Amino acid sequence: MKKAYLALADGTVFEGISFGAEGETFGEVVFNTALSGYQEVLTDPSYKGQLVAMTCPQQGNYGVNEEDIESGRPWAEGFIVKESCLFPSNYRSTEVLMAYLRRHGVVGIAGVDTRALTRIIRDKGAMQAMISTADNADNDKARLVERAREATGIVGVDLVKEVTSKKPYRWTQGLWTRESGYEKTVPEKLRFKVVAYDFGMKLNILRCLASSGCDVAVVPASTPAEAVLEANPDGIFLSNGPGDPEAVPYAIESVKKLIGKRPIFGICLGHQILALALGGRTYKLKFGHRGANHPVQDLTTRKVEITSQNHGFAVDMDSIKGIAELTHINLNDRTVEGMRLKDLPVFSVQYHPEASPGPHDSHYLFKRFTEEMGKNRRMG
């Protein structure tokens, strides 16, 4: 097995074996605590610019298939695991994870003590790092650390423009079922016309919108507000996406012009962009929230949801006090997980209610969106 090295900006170097494509890659090293879903993680555009370490020791157990992708390709800059499973067991598996990484050019490293790596990130925060499988890497580990320190971070960098769709399109698929694969949505069942901004859209968001009764038209992140309103939608959806929300001023300006014109529902980066459009602020978290086990309380119902999350920034609720009200809060660190406007059908959450493979505690938010569109249609 070919050696590989993970070098962190703090000077730490992990030695492992090459797992995926060979070469070198740079990014912000982060950890994800989900027990499953490595294929969804890799293909989530929100991981653009990041090296993802999975805290669950073994990855690849159930292989890879074409149904569980969240976009057309992997976006993570690199993948870090403790152990790679070379003999997956699942009737839906069509490929070994390592082969999938190689086919898509994703550099990975296995054999890393991911528990120790996670403790470093928790103590010192997410930082720039690099993975190298170069033949001379073993002789120049200090240089690897130096190159990691010199790598461009994600603060102030517009990553959305690299992952957004190039042109508008209409979504025509419903939820995936074991019996029939992707079901074609029946037009008669589509009650609400929704324009969805693609800041790094996950496919399961579109499936959930469609299954909730939405006819979804997806538009690139740079689409002006005027073009969206010309389509005369019942509602506007703001998707997830990668990086720093303040680095996409064009999206903030568009959302600012749309507030009050139609019901709006934002997720993750869309939630942060909405807060900035309201005049608020965002800030970078020390190591972010990434995983499928984050407890969030809905303050309107007092219920606790287990949620899937993937973000490195958060909204400063004090910056929009009196403009929006807090609706959801993270029970681990008390950060903002949801908000809404008091007098307008505009709301958002920081987490992923469409979570695939799960949990599914927060699917009700899609119904809440259609209810708001129904109310707005009756009033209008």
Side-chain angles (χ1 to χ4, degrees), residues 174-234:
L175 287 173
W176 184 88
T177 64
R178 179 180 299 179
E179 293 75 20
S180 58
Y182 285 117
E183 294 180 336
K184 291 293 183 181
T185 304
V186 180
E188 289 76 14
K189 292 184 179 180
L190 299 180
R191 297 179 290 129
F192 300 105
K193 186 177 180 181
V194 172
V195 171
Y197 269 98
D198 179 6
F199 302 131
M201 182 75 73
K202 294 173 64 179
L203 295 183
N204 209 48
I205 291 176
L206 297 174
R207 297 175 193 131
C208 289
L209 286 170
S211 66
S212 299
C214 299
D215 182 359
V216 187
V218 182
V219 298
S222 59
T223 304
E226 294 77 12
V228 171
L229 293 175
E230 283 178 9
N232 193 30
D234 293 301

Side-chain angles (χ1 to χ4, degrees), residues 31-34 41 44 46-47 202 268 285 288-297 305-313 329-333 335-337 349-355 358-359:
F31 63 87
N32 185 299
T33 59
V41 167
D44 181 352
S46 297
Y47 281 109
K202 294 173 64 179
C268 202
L285 296 168
H289 300 159
R290 296 172 184 88
N293 56 353
H294 290 260
V296 168
Q297 185 173 44
E305 308 161 25
I306 302 302
T307 68
S308 179
Q309 303 202 10
N310 171 23
H311 62 101
F313 291 78
I329 192 166
N330 189 297
L331 295 182
N332 285 334
D333 60 11
T335 52
V336 175
E337 293 288 355
V349 291
Q350 181 63 80
Y351 52 95
H352 287 266
E354 85 295 341

Side-chain angles (χ1 to χ4, degrees), residues 238-379:
L238 311 177
S239 85
N240 63 295
D244 186 351
E246 294 186 2
V248 284
Y250 50 89
I252 297 168
E253 286 304 311
S254 293
V255 174
K256 190 179 298 185
K257 295 176 182 178
L258 293 170
I259 294 173
K261 301 295 176 60
R262 297 290 191 280
I264 298 176
F265 176 26
I267 286 177
C268 202
L269 183 67
H271 159 80
Q272 298 163 7
I273 288 174
L274 177 61
L276 293 171
L278 292 170
R281 295 187 300 271
T282 58
Y283 62 95
K284 195 172 189 302
L285 296 168
K286 184 176 181 180
F287 48 81
H289 300 159
R290 296 172 184 88
N293 56 353
H294 290 260
V296 168
Q297 185 173 44
D298 183 340
L299 299 180
T300 60
T301 64
R302 311 307 297 180
K303 292 182 178 179
V304 175
E305 308 161 25
I306 302 302
T307 68
S308 179
Q309 303 202 10
N310 171 23
H311 62 101
F313 291 78
V315 170
D316 177 2
M317 203 64 198
D318 289 337
S319 66
I320 47 177
K321 186 177 293 185
I323 301 174
E325 63 179 351
L326 181 68
T327 59
H328 297 75
I329 192 166
N330 189 297
L331 295 182
N332 285 334
D333 60 11
R334 314 302 291 181
T335 52
V336 175
E337 293 288 355
M339 65 181 184
R340 69 182 175 194
L341 297 189
K342 295 180 180 179
D343 302 320
L344 292 172
V346 177
F347 68 101
S348 61
V349 291
Q350 181 63 80
Y351 52 95
H352 287 266
E354 85 295 341
S356 176
H360 303 146
D361 297 20
S362 309
H363 275 187
Y364 69 90
L365 289 165
F366 291 99
K367 181 180 179 182
R368 183 175 294 179
F369 184 38
T370 58
E371 289 173 346
E372 292 291 357
M373 288 189 286
K375 293 176 185 176
N376 191 67
R377 181 187 287 177
R378 290 192 294 271
M379 294 174 59

Side-chain angles (χ1 to χ4, degrees), residues 55-120:
T55 61
C56 186
Q58 193 174 60
Q59 299 293 318
N61 302 49
Y62 50 88
V64 174
N65 62 70
E66 291 302 316
E67 287 81 31
D68 293 341
I69 59 173
E70 288 291 353
S71 65
R73 51 158 283 193
W75 290 101
E77 305 294 343
F79 206 46
I80 305 163
V81 303
K82 170 66 175 176
E83 182 181 346
S84 164
C85 178
L86 299 179
F87 302 97
S89 177
N90 188 283
Y91 75 98
R92 294 171 64 219
S93 176
T94 58
E95 191 173 12
V96 176
L97 177 58
M98 183 167 65
Y100 178 79
L101 294 177
R102 287 178 177 172
R103 180 161 61 88
H104 287 281
V106 179
V107 179
I109 180 172
V112 172
D113 184 345
T114 50
R115 179 185 297 182
L117 174 60
T118 299
R119 290 177 67 91
I120 290 172

